[in-house]
Amino acid sequence: MSSSTSVEVSWIQWFCNLRGNEFFCEVDPEYIIDRFNLIGLDPKIPKYEQALAQILDNEMEEIDDESHQETELAAEILYGLIHARYIMTNKGLAKMKAKFADCEFGTCPRVDCDNFPFLPIGQSDTENESMVKMYCGICEQLYLPKSSKHHHTDGAYFGTGFPQMFFMVHKGLRLKPDPNKKWVPSLYGFK
């Protein structure tokens, strides 16, 4: 005898599980409900109230397909901007630390960095100005994400200060290059 149980997925879970959104962590609904955390986002987002209702899975009035698509796009932008703020909190940093530890953002291709895990960073805090880049905490260089599915993720959804805050809070995770480990070119044993 089998019973079919349907597990209801929240909008936040659905969004974070979309292909190309693997860099996002799930923002706690309690953080979003606290209007203090959303100060200044209202004028930036068209259909702000509808987008917020969609993110929080609140009941919305019936709307046509075109309005639904506009609301969905506004919800994605709003969630991204909320995400940039959330990952700077203790809970957000802890969630991103787990992704960092699992190398979910990829690793640095430089030999001297020894596959050090990347962190996502934006080059602007304003949406639609630059796409997300990968930051290496050892060589301190920016790289394009390895997978092209992440090339369309807005960098503002991670902010310009996230890696710096991450390594300030988690000091032990940032490694310094070993100055004694220097490659010396040689030819037949002669430097």
Side-chain angles (χ1 to χ4, degrees):
M1 189 161 112
S2 70
S3 64
S4 64
T5 58
S6 63
V7 177
E8 198 166 311
V9 176
S10 72
W11 186 93
I12 295 171
Q13 292 170 326
W14 168 82
F15 178 77
C16 291
N17 289 324
L18 285 177
R19 185 177 186 277
N21 289 351
E22 295 86 1
F23 291 169
F24 289 93
C25 68
E26 292 184 17
V27 176
D28 294 332
E30 296 80 33
Y31 181 85
I32 300 171
I33 290 170
D34 185 352
R35 293 293 178 134
F36 178 77
N37 297 321
L38 309 181
I39 290 175
L41 295 179
D42 188 357
K44 292 182 178 184
I45 309 295
K47 298 189 173 257
Y48 174 82
E49 290 299 329
Q50 294 93 334
L52 188 60
Q54 179 135 10
I55 291 170
L56 295 172
D57 296 317
N58 292 340
E59 291 293 322
M60 296 188 330
E61 60 189 52
E62 281 294 318
I63 53 176
D64 60 19
D65 284 344
E66 186 176 323
S67 291
H68 179 72
Q69 289 176 345
E70 291 172 3
T71 302
E72 189 66 39
L73 179 61
E76 291 176 18
I77 295 169
L78 179 59
Y79 184 80
L81 295 175
I82 292 170
H83 182 266
R85 294 177 179 195
Y86 179 74
I87 61 176
M88 299 294 264
T89 67
N90 288 335
K91 282 185 174 181
L93 285 166
K95 288 182 179 183
M96 294 300 269
K97 180 182 177 187
K99 288 179 166 286
F100 175 83
D102 292 340
C103 298
E104 289 187 28
F105 307 118
T107 58
C108 187
R110 291 188 69 229
V111 173
D112 288 342
C113 293
D114 198 27
N115 290 320
F116 190 76
F118 279 141
L119 284 173
I121 188 172
Q123 293 179 292
S124 173
D125 289 319
T126 306
E127 65 276 0
N128 297 323
E129 286 191 5
S130 71
M131 298 299 114
V132 69
K133 303 291 186 288
M134 299 292 99
Y135 173 82
C136 174
I138 294 180
C139 65
E140 298 181 337
Q141 296 296 311
L142 299 182
Y143 298 88
L144 287 174
K146 188 172 187 174
S147 176
S148 61
K149 66 183 177 183
H150 298 115
H151 289 185
H152 302 291
T153 304
D154 201 315
Y157 300 163
F158 300 93
T160 57
F162 169 66
Q164 293 79 1
M165 176 66 91
F166 183 86
F167 288 122
M168 280 177 32
V169 173
H170 305 291
K171 290 178 177 55
L173 295 179
R174 184 175 217 154
L175 304 176
K176 295 291 181 192
D178 186 1
N180 298 325
K181 185 182 171 184
K182 186 174 181 183
W183 184 76
V184 179
S186 63
L187 184 61
Y188 300 114
F190 296 100
K191 294 181 184 178

